[in-house]
């Protein structure tokens, strides 16, 4: 078991510096343009593919880092470059992880390469879970998947929303209800292959921030997919549903709900790391500005009101990173989140990103309110961290219920 450390090892530092160089030289110079265009930055993704950042192999190496720090380190550096472009680069990973976690070896080998494409023709994938009436409350999901035994096909109907790469993806991974009576344990994941009839892009959202990342609705109308597109296979699904029905009888459904929550809890530190990257970027701009901007004959950092803000900003960023690293290490080493440490890291880091970017705008004054300086964009981008992957209110609820021993619904 890897011991917890407060600094990266030499190999991790080398990867971090490589990622930082890519973020500084490729992502940052393109950030303002793609934010204004509100389009997927295909040329940047292609550059990431050429050097190996946009690939399953790279993310698998970081995911299986025994210290647990590979993924948070990667997220922090890429999102330090720009949140919108970085989300376009890492968004496919959500779908890939869904296949890795639930799929057979054959499904993994077949579909994940199609999600990424190659450096000459990059592809993206979409993970479709949220719905108009089922965001934080995943138990309210309505998209249905019905098995047609005569043709060995699954028929999907419903509408997904807030899907990163939704509608433009080569491969969609769709979560749907197969047994409404089992709550979240009655859900299953499906591959929708490229160009499948019945899948279409609905509304594309024009967002406040992360505008270089494509977010849209995905509409499923009598989408027929082969039986082998059920992740894990039907035999495994039938066995799981049978166990879930038995557990529901024994535990009144609570164990079913808690198991579903545990899956989300384990993924939240990565979002916290994204928030740390954005906060750190804004802090660095504000610090540089405060040291070079003079008013009344001296740099504005000499004013206690500015200096104390910067001190608080740096303290919160470092505290956020430590919470993220702790939760990531715990997840990698199999330690249970007995105090909802995953939610703690995501909550504190996301709230820090909002606060730090707002303070950065204030320190830059009028300049911070313009698009001539990046803190304006960083402030808009930071707003998403307290919303997606569970709102701050949901994080607090999970933490409080975990500490009190109350069931997490």
């Amino acid at each position: 078991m890897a011991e917890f450390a407060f600094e990266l090892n030499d190999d991790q530092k080398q990867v971090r510096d490589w990622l930082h160089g890519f973020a500084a030289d490729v992502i940052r110079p393109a950030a303002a343009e793609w934010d204004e265009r509100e389009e997927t930055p295909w040329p940047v993704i292609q550059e990431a593919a050429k050097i190996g950042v946009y690939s399953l192999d790279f993310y698998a190496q970081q995911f299986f880092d025994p210290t647990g720090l590979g993924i948070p380190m990667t997220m922090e550096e890429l999102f330090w470059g720009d949140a919108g472009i970085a989300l376009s680069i890492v968004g496919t990973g959500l779908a890939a992880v869904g296949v890795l976690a639930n799929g057979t070896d054959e499904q993994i080998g077949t579909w994940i390469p199609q999600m990424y494409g190659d450096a000459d023709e990059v592809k993206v994938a979409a993970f479709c879970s949220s719905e108009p009436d089922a965001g934080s409350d995943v138990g309210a999901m309505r998209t249905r998947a019905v098995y047609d035994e005569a043709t060995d096909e699954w028929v999907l109907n419903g509408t997904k929303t807030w899907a990163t790469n939704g509608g433009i993806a080569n491969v969609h991974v769709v979560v749907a209800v197969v047994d409404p009576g089992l709550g979240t344990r009655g859900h299953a994941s499906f591959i929708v292959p490229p160009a499948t009839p019945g899948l279409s892009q609905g509304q594309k959202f024009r967002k406040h921030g992360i505008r270089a990342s494509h977010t849209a609705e995905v509409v499923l109308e009598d989408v027929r997919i082969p039986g082998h597109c059920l992740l894990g296979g039907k035999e495994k699904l039938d066995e799981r549903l049978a166990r879930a029905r038995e557990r529901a009888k024994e535990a009144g459904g609570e164990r079913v709900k808690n198991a579903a929550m545990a899956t989300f809890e384990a993924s939240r530190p990565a979002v916290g790391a994204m928030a740390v990257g954005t906060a750190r970027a804004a802090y660095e701009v504000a610090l540089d500005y405060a040291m070079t901007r003079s008013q009344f004959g001296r740099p504005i950092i000499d004013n206690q009101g500015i200096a104390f803000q910067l001190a608080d900003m740096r303290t919160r960023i470092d505290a956020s990173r430590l919470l993220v690293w702790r939760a990531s290490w715990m997840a990698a080493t199999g330690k249970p989140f007995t105090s909802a440490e995953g939610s703690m890291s995501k909550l504190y880091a996301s709230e820090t990103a909002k606060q730090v970017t707002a303070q950065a705008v204030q320190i830059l004054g009028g300049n911070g309110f313009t698009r001539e300086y990046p803190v304006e964009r960083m402030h808009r981008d930071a707003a998403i961290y307290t919303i997606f992957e569970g709102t701050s209110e949901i994080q607090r609820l999970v933490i409080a219920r975990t500490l009190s021993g109350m069931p997490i619904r």
Side-chain angles (χ1 to χ4, degrees), residues 18 22 25-27 41-54 89 118-120 122:
W18 174 62
F22 178 76
D25 297 339
V26 181
I27 294 178
W42 293 107
V44 182
I45 299 175
Q46 188 169 38
E47 288 300 313
K50 287 179 180 178
I51 66 167
V53 172
Y54 186 71
I89 293 173
D118 54 42
D120 294 323
V122 294

Side-chain angles (χ1 to χ4, degrees), residues 6 16 87 93 126 157 177 269 278 290 346-347 360:
F6 286 98
R16 179 200 61 191
L87 191 56
N157 282 281
V177 179
T278 299
K346 196 269 184 182
L347 170 66

Side-chain angles (χ1 to χ4, degrees), residues 281-292:
Y283 158 76
E284 290 175 0
V285 173
L287 176 63
D288 181 69
Y289 187 87
M291 294 176 66
T292 56

Side-chain angles (χ1 to χ4, degrees), residues 89-301:
I89 293 173
V90 306
T92 292
L94 297 173
V97 167
V99 176
L100 283 169
N102 302 298
T104 64
D105 290 343
E106 183 178 357
Q107 289 170 330
I108 291 169
T110 298
W111 296 112
I112 291 183
Q114 295 187 48
M115 293 180 175
Y116 286 91
D118 54 42
D120 294 323
E121 187 178 4
V122 294
K123 305 288 186 181
V124 295
F127 183 75
C128 306
S129 178
S130 294
E131 298 183 2
D133 296 318
S136 298
D137 182 9
V138 294
M141 190 178 294
R142 296 180 181 178
T143 297
R144 289 295 308 274
V146 178
Y147 183 60
D148 185 341
E149 191 170 357
T151 60
D152 185 28
E153 291 178 317
W154 288 90
V155 185
L156 277 59
N157 282 281
T159 299
K160 295 297 183 178
T161 193
W162 309 122
T164 299
N165 299 328
I168 66 170
N170 196 49
V171 176
H172 291 76
V173 177
V174 177
V175 182
V177 179
V178 294
D179 188 332
L182 291 176
T184 55
R185 269 296 182 92
H187 297 174
S189 296
F190 300 85
I191 291 285
V192 180
T196 298
L199 184 147
S200 62
Q201 179 183 310
Q203 176 187 5
K204 177 185 175 181
F205 296 104
R206 302 189 65 188
K207 304 186 300 293
H208 175 67
I210 54 167
R211 302 198 304 191
S213 173
H214 175 97
T215 310
E217 291 180 331
V218 173
V219 180
L220 305 149
E221 296 180 311
D222 291 328
V223 173
R224 286 185 168 268
I225 56 175
H228 62 75
C229 287
L230 164 65
L231 289 179
K234 194 170 188 305
E235 182 178 348
K236 183 178 178 181
L237 172 65
D238 290 341
E239 292 174 356
R240 177 167 63 82
L241 294 178
R243 290 195 302 269
R245 293 184 189 106
E246 189 63 30
R247 289 175 180 174
K249 293 178 184 177
E250 295 174 356
E254 291 302 336
R255 288 174 60 189
V256 169
K257 293 169 183 173
N258 287 342
M261 268 298 181
T263 301
F264 288 107
E265 179 73 357
S267 67
R268 284 169 176 157
V271 181
M274 299 175 187
V276 171
T278 299
R280 188 183 112 211
Y283 158 76
E284 290 175 0
V285 173
L287 176 63
D288 181 69
Y289 187 87
M291 294 176 66
T292 56
R293 170 73 167 174
S294 292
Q295 290 289 282
F296 305 105
R298 60 178 183 175
I300 63 173
I301 198 171

Side-chain angles (χ1 to χ4, degrees), residues 7-57:
E7 66 175 358
L8 303 174
N9 60 40
D10 289 342
D11 289 340
Q12 291 167 331
K13 289 178 181 177
Q14 185 175 6
V15 174
R16 179 200 61 191
D17 294 344
W18 174 62
L19 289 168
H20 186 80
F22 178 76
D25 297 339
V26 181
I27 294 178
R28 279 254 172 124
E33 175 188 352
W34 292 100
D35 176 74
E36 290 286 347
R37 292 174 64 165
E38 298 191 54
E39 296 175 359
T40 300
W42 293 107
V44 182
I45 299 175
Q46 188 169 38
E47 288 300 313
K50 287 179 180 178
I51 66 167
V53 172
Y54 186 71
S55 71
L56 174 64
D57 288 345

